[in-house]
Each structure stands twice: as structure tokens, then as C-alpha cells.
Amino acid sequence: LMKKKAALKKSSAALKKKKATAAKKKAAAAAKAAALKKKAKAKVQAAKAKVQAKKDAVKAKKAKIASSGPVRPRTLFMKQQAGKGMSFKQVNEKYNTLGASEKQALVNQAQKNLAKRNEIRKSLKKPATKYALFVKKNFATAYESAKKQTNDKKAAFKLAVQTLAAQYKKQ
């Protein structure tokens, strides 16, 4: 009877130990899964933030370009008449009845705005790389010499590009 009780205690202790290790493994697996889920969520959030930043940059660029004002006489007139309680049709009719000198003033202002817009666009452009400048300078001659070697324009283009790349690396 005593032996049975001792054996029963041992088996129950072993069973408790097994349950405890199983619970620990289960908790560790759950923690690992939670960490992976958190990491994946952070990755998605970072991707969303990157996309949003790109959209914001595009919006800012468009706003900066638009800040130059209307670049057509009619749109310039429309903008000047905005908020005066007239319908689009009425403003359009009023524009059509303008005198030549009034229209010329709008044309001049629109041209100034276009010049401003082009300056803004120019300032937003990235400067050309050294390689791009090299290709711009030397491509015509390289392409002509490649065309002499082959009749196929695609093959000549490829050959010219390869030649230019090799020349640029030698510099």
C-alpha cells in the first residue's frame, strides 16, 4: 500500500512537471508569435508611412508649382472673378466681351506666371549626373559609328550604350 502511494506521488509529480514544461513551451511559442506579429505590423506601418510621405511630397511639389498662378488668360480672369457671385457661364460671357487691351493685360500676366512656373519647375529638377552629361555629349557619335557596324537600330543603340559605358569607366 505504501509502495503504491509513493509510486502514485512520483507519477503525479512527473505529470505536474510535464504539464509545467508544456505550459512554458506554450507561453514561449505565444510570445514568439506575438513578437513576429508585432514586427510584421511595424513593417506594414513603415511601408504605409513611406507611401504617405511620397504622396505628401508630390502634393507639396504640385502646390509649389501652382503657386505661380494661372498660366492662361481665361483661367486668370476666372480666378479674378471668383467669389463675386457670378456663375461660370456669366464669367465666361464677361471674358468673351472683354476689350483687346484688357485681354492683352491678362495675356501678359499669364505669360509672367508661366515664366515663374517654369523657373519653379527648373528649381525642382535634380542636377544631371556626370554620366548623363557624358552620354549627352558623346552619344550621337557613338550611335553613328555603331550604325556603321550594323543595320539594326536596336543593336546599334545597345552597342553605342555599351561603348559609352566602357569609355566612361576608362576615365
Side-chain angles (χ1 to χ4, degrees), residues 4 8 75 79 90 105 139 144 152:
K4 280 185 181 178
L8 196 61
T75 51
K79 189 150 188 162
Q90 290 170 327
F139 183 77
E144 288 305 317
D152 185 18

Side-chain angles (χ1 to χ4, degrees), residues 74-157:
R74 185 179 298 269
T75 51
L76 182 61
F77 183 74
M78 295 281 184
K79 189 150 188 162
Q80 288 172 353
Q81 300 301 314
K84 292 188 178 178
M86 286 191 282
S87 71
F88 186 78
K89 200 172 186 179
Q90 290 170 327
V91 174
N92 207 18
E93 286 171 5
K94 191 173 179 182
Y95 177 79
N96 290 333
T97 60
L98 284 178
S101 62
E102 292 169 314
K103 277 190 180 178
Q104 190 57 47
L106 290 170
V107 168
N108 292 342
Q109 184 59 42
Q111 285 176 341
K112 286 178 187 174
N113 289 348
L114 183 61
K116 277 189 220 170
R117 182 168 291 188
N118 288 336
E119 283 300 313
I120 291 169
R121 282 189 176 133
K122 197 175 178 183
S123 72
L124 292 173
K125 278 189 175 179
K126 292 178 184 173
T129 62
K130 288 179 184 176
Y131 180 70
L133 294 171
F134 177 80
V135 168
K136 187 176 182 180
K137 182 180 173 188
N138 300 306
F139 183 77
T141 54
Y143 184 65
E144 288 305 317
S145 64
K147 273 174 49 178
K148 288 175 186 170
Q149 293 176 14
T150 180
N151 292 335
D152 185 18
K153 288 182 180 179
K154 270 190 177 179
F157 181 84

Side-chain angles (χ1 to χ4, degrees), residues 32-53:
K32 193 174 183 181
L36 285 173
K37 194 173 181 182
K38 193 175 182 181
K39 195 174 182 181
K41 196 173 182 180
K43 197 173 183 181
V44 168
Q45 205 67 17
K48 282 183 182 177
K50 189 176 180 183
V51 168
Q52 190 59 44

